Amino acid sequence: RFGGRNLMRSALMLLLAANVTAQSGSPIRAGVLATSLLFALSSQIARMDMPMVLIILAALYCFVRFMELLVDSPRAAGRWALAIYPLVGLSFLTKGPIGPAIPAFIIGSVLLWQRDWGAVMRLRPFTGTLLALAVVLPWLIPAVHQAGIWYANVIILQQSVGRAINSFSHGRPFYYYLYTFPVTFLPWLFFLPAAFLWLWRQQETLDWRRPF
């Protein structure tokens, strides 16, 4: 179980890193993720979070390919754009609205950072929404019909939005990650000072707004 799931997510991270950075350090980035304590332990637990991470990574990879091909091959870029939406639908089936919210936030942040307003419409959001609904509705409609409208309220609002805004199951103080991150990022935590030092020294030469 650990090998298969961890390998698939690490492979997707490798593809994402290779496409975004186009540098030889991409395998190192994927390796750091695959061998971090939290990632390794989570890959051995049967939770909805792990399939959702895999699906979201696949959707983000499609988005990266879309951005790469947007200028030179618009038709191919359009196919990659449409591939995002069935994955978004699957992420909803995995863990409700929080599934689509994560890739939507990331993709929206990238487009906002690059100020690429034309890419928004080239993502074909209206057609894509229909594709996502084609994945979600065949499950959601019979489920609501069988269990009643309260089921939709529990799944969409209480189990998803309620957990994010006012968690009823695992609430934590705002500083929770300040004391958990050092442990979960082992053994790579000890390399962070050197990484920040390198970043500081390279800040004048790095292109922070480098396009895809």
Side-chain angles (χ1 to χ4, degrees):
R1 290 179 299 175
F2 166 75
R5 288 180 298 208
N6 205 3
L7 181 61
M8 290 178 68
R9 283 188 293 273
S10 298
L12 277 171
M13 284 300 298
L14 176 59
L15 287 172
L16 278 169
N19 279 274
V20 172
T21 65
Q23 296 175 1
S24 58
S26 301
I28 298 177
R29 296 177 179 90
V32 168
L33 174 70
T35 55
S36 65
L37 182 61
L38 176 62
F39 194 81
L41 292 178
S42 298
S43 296
Q44 302 181 65
I45 302 173
R47 297 178 60 186
M48 295 180 293
D49 305 71
M50 296 298 102
M52 184 180 71
V53 169
L54 179 63
I55 294 168
I56 289 174
L57 283 175
L60 294 178
Y61 176 73
C62 293
F63 171 68
V64 169
R65 295 293 292 148
F66 161 77
M67 293 295 288
E68 287 180 329
L69 298 169
L70 191 55
V71 175
D72 296 330
S73 184
R75 293 186 63 180
R79 290 192 291 269
W80 281 105
L82 291 179
I84 297 172
Y85 296 96
L87 293 166
V88 168
L90 288 175
S91 71
F92 181 94
L93 293 181
T94 305
K95 208 167 182 179
I98 194 64
I102 294 174
F105 175 78
I106 294 172
I107 292 172
S109 299
V110 171
L111 296 177
L112 182 63
W113 176 260
Q114 294 195 337
R115 300 180 183 177
D116 193 349
W117 316 125
V120 175
M121 295 309 299
R122 292 174 187 171
L123 276 170
R124 303 173 69 179
F126 302 110
T127 303
T129 300
L130 294 178
L131 288 175
L133 290 175
V135 174
V136 173
L137 293 182
W139 166 80
L140 184 61
I141 292 176
V144 173
H145 176 74
Q146 180 72 24
I149 193 65
W150 70 269
Y151 181 74
N153 177 67
V154 170
I155 292 297
I156 297 176
L157 296 179
Q158 183 178 344
Q159 289 289 339
S160 300
V161 180
R163 283 176 180 262
I165 297 176
N166 186 23
S167 177
F168 58 86
S169 60
H170 45 70
R172 296 291 187 274
F174 70 92
Y175 50 84
Y176 171 72
Y177 291 104
L178 294 179
Y179 62 83
T180 57
F181 173 77
V183 176
T184 57
F185 196 58
L186 289 172
W188 302 102
L189 175 71
F190 304 108
F191 294 88
L192 278 182
F196 285 127
L197 179 61
W198 178 88
L199 188 63
W200 174 262
R201 291 176 175 175
Q202 299 292 324
Q203 60 179 328
E204 295 184 358
T205 59
L206 291 175
D207 185 2
W208 298 98
R209 297 195 58 183
R210 186 188 66 80
F212 285 85

